[in-house]
Amino acid sequence: MVEDQKIIKETDPKFIEEIIEYGSKFFGKEEMERLKACIQCGTCVGGCPSGRRAAWRVKSIFRKAQLGLKDDALNDDELWDCTTCFTCQERCPRKVSTTDTVRVVRNIAFREGIAQPRHLAVCSYLFKFGHAVPINDETKATRKKIGLKELPATVHMFPEGLDEVNKIVEETGFKKIVEETQKAQEAKKNE
Ligand code: SF4
Ligand code: SF4
């Protein structure tokens, strides 16, 4: 009974509408609304390559959305195990926008300051090098070996482009979210 009360207290019935509203900006309302049609058949899980190697079960996120289990959904570490390969989205018999919904829930989580330290590290690389995965000596050597220029024609070759990358992340507010999340996580560590 106490457990039941706890679950009811933590439920946010508006969570599914929040996902639909946020996702509609990018994918359209009709597409996002199909989240409500998920019947937990498991077809998405059956074809998921990440699910074969990790505990990630994509359908659980749709159920949590339907039940309003927002905290549980946003703080689920496995949410980040999806590779966004779109296999599930192509196979869903109810045409739920599965992969897009995962991406929207991740965005909501990030916006609320929930991010893995490894994701924050990747963001720092983007700000510093203009690449989420900067080139290293091994990759440079491999490129040369197969007849490519040592550096790709990106910010690596044109470092002056880094200012433009940083202008984009600043103007979109992305850098601010990352910095605030980093600060919040540092403060939490020092508590
Ligand atoms: S395949 Fe579609 S309907 Fe079935 S569980 Fe996955 S999202 Fe839900
Ligand atoms: S998009 Fe994500 S959840 Fe869907 S099949 Fe691919 S890895 Fe699995």
Side-chain angles (χ1 to χ4, degrees):
M1 184 65 184
V2 174
E3 277 303 299
D4 287 351
Q5 284 170 346
K6 185 169 167 265
I7 288 168
I8 289 165
K9 201 175 153 206
E10 287 172 359
T11 296
D12 177 353
K14 290 190 188 138
F15 183 40
I16 191 162
E17 295 306 332
E18 186 183 355
I19 296 171
I20 292 168
E21 196 190 319
Y22 192 88
S24 295
K25 291 184 213 165
F26 311 103
F27 309 115
K29 195 164 170 76
E30 198 186 324
E31 180 178 328
M32 291 309 300
E33 283 276 359
R34 292 200 289 267
L35 173 57
K36 293 178 180 166
C38 171
I39 48 168
Q40 292 289 296
C41 69
T43 305
C44 49
V45 175
C48 174
S50 295
R52 265 175 245 143
R53 289 168 180 81
W56 168 238
R57 299 290 175 265
V58 61
K59 74 183 175 111
S60 72
I61 215 78
F62 313 133
R63 193 68 181 137
K64 285 174 188 172
Q66 289 170 338
L67 294 174
L69 298 172
K70 182 174 177 177
D71 280 352
D72 204 20
L74 299 192
N75 287 290
D76 183 354
D77 283 351
E78 281 140 22
L79 176 63
W80 303 94
D81 287 341
C82 166
T83 62
T84 64
C85 72
F86 283 89
T87 305
C88 54
Q89 192 153 317
E90 284 172 358
R91 294 184 182 180
C92 173
R94 305 286 283 190
K95 302 205 180 312
V96 176
S97 298
T98 54
T99 315
D100 293 336
T101 300
V102 169
R103 297 197 290 166
V104 169
V105 175
R106 284 176 172 177
N107 275 0
I108 294 173
F110 205 85
R111 200 179 54 181
E112 298 202 5
I114 302 163
Q116 303 263 334
R118 64 182 189 267
H119 296 134
L120 294 174
V122 163
C123 296
S124 304
Y125 292 147
L126 178 67
F127 305 153
K128 199 168 170 190
F129 303 107
H131 278 264
V133 182
I135 200 159
N136 57 24
D137 288 344
E138 200 184 338
T139 308
K140 281 185 202 169
T142 307
R143 288 178 60 87
K144 259 177 104 173
K145 207 168 145 188
I146 60 174
L148 294 171
K149 287 185 178 156
E150 197 174 64
L151 294 175
T154 63
V155 177
H156 283 318
M157 193 184 278
F158 305 102
E160 62 276 16
L162 187 58
D163 285 347
E164 288 177 38
V165 171
N166 275 295
K167 208 181 275 177
I168 292 169
V169 291
E170 269 161 31
E171 285 188 11
T172 54
F174 180 64
K175 196 168 192 174
K176 192 166 171 241
I177 294 174
V178 173
E179 286 170 351
E180 282 172 0
T181 303
Q182 278 167 330
K183 267 190 221 154
Q185 294 199 352
E186 280 303 314
K188 221 174 181 179
K189 249 194 269 169
N190 296 328
E191 272 173 10

